[in-house]
Amino acid sequence: MPRAVVLLGPPGAGKGTQASRLSAELGRPHVSTGDLFRENLSRGTDLGEQARGFMESGQLVPDELVLEMLFARVAAPDCRDGYLLDGFPRTQPQAEALERRLPESWETRAVLLQVADEILVERATGRLICQGCGKVHHETFAPPRAAGICDACGGRLEKRDDDRVGVVRERLEVYRRQTEPLVQFYRERGVLDVVDGSREPNLVFDDLVDLLGSEG
Ligand code: AMP
């Protein structure tokens, strides 16, 4: 089983949903830079304030801020044996910094979740996130049993501020311009797999487990 897993894909591809299930399956922590920024925002930290404007407009937070935050997170003891990255890297300098940082003996795999643009906008704009446990529901595709309440923990479901249509389209543009080139970056290193992320989440998950293995 690889030590470092990079989940690549546009907003709405299912990275967060799959990463949280995979994390349990592989016994590796799920490290999401988007979640880390949102935590900083809700705690009102300086980092959160520095990131706010970029996040609200669908732009990328500058690399220095992302790298400092990410490297502090993966220095924690739970990441000692490996981790699962969701939403990082998103630029070439981030990918290069990660490569320099990973121990040489670690196997790294990158998986691209590929999904057509029309589906992405529909998925992202209907997304409902549990404020308690982070579970992702969807207004149309995975509605909660009781409106506004998480099926898993009873927490409150909310939309992300940046999941409005205009911002999602901007995030897609940013993905194409700044992040999609990383597909080639990982392909050249011979560590890339592509999975059709437009299918039902359980099928996508089964493919990911086949590719990445399970705990042990
Ligand atoms: P996500 O939850 O991964 O969609 O991230 C939400 C927002 O956080 C993005 O639109 C960016 O503004 C910011 N962000 C998250 N990860 C990164 C990253 N690796 N590099 C730059 N900005 C990021």
Side-chain angles (χ1 to χ4, degrees), residues 22-123:
L22 270 178
S23 162
E25 179 76 20
L26 305 180
R28 296 259 194 263
H30 169 197
V31 177
S32 153
T33 42
D35 285 349
L36 292 171
F37 280 126
R38 281 184 288 278
E39 276 162 36
N40 274 278
L41 268 179
S42 63
R43 294 208 320 269
T45 66
D46 283 351
L47 178 63
E49 284 313 312
Q50 285 172 288
R52 182 188 295 279
F54 297 102
M55 294 178 73
E56 285 176 352
S57 60
Q59 302 301 312
L60 295 186
V61 177
D63 288 337
E64 314 79 70
L65 294 179
V66 182
L67 288 169
E68 197 184 326
M69 176 183 75
L70 189 266
F71 288 159
R73 170 66 188 91
V74 300
D78 66 326
C79 291
R80 203 184 35 225
D81 295 330
Y83 42 87
L84 201 64
L85 290 166
D86 157 16
F88 180 94
R90 264 179 156 98
T91 64
Q92 176 105 6
Q94 289 180 19
E96 285 165 0
L98 175 68
E99 192 169 59
R100 286 193 297 274
R101 162 91 186 203
L102 290 172
E104 256 176 50
S105 59
W106 280 23
E107 185 194 344
T108 302
R109 305 288 318 166
V111 183
L112 168 67
L113 292 179
Q114 206 162 39
V115 180
D117 279 11
E118 313 80 74
I119 304 180
L120 293 171
V121 175
E122 205 180 0
R123 278 194 188 171

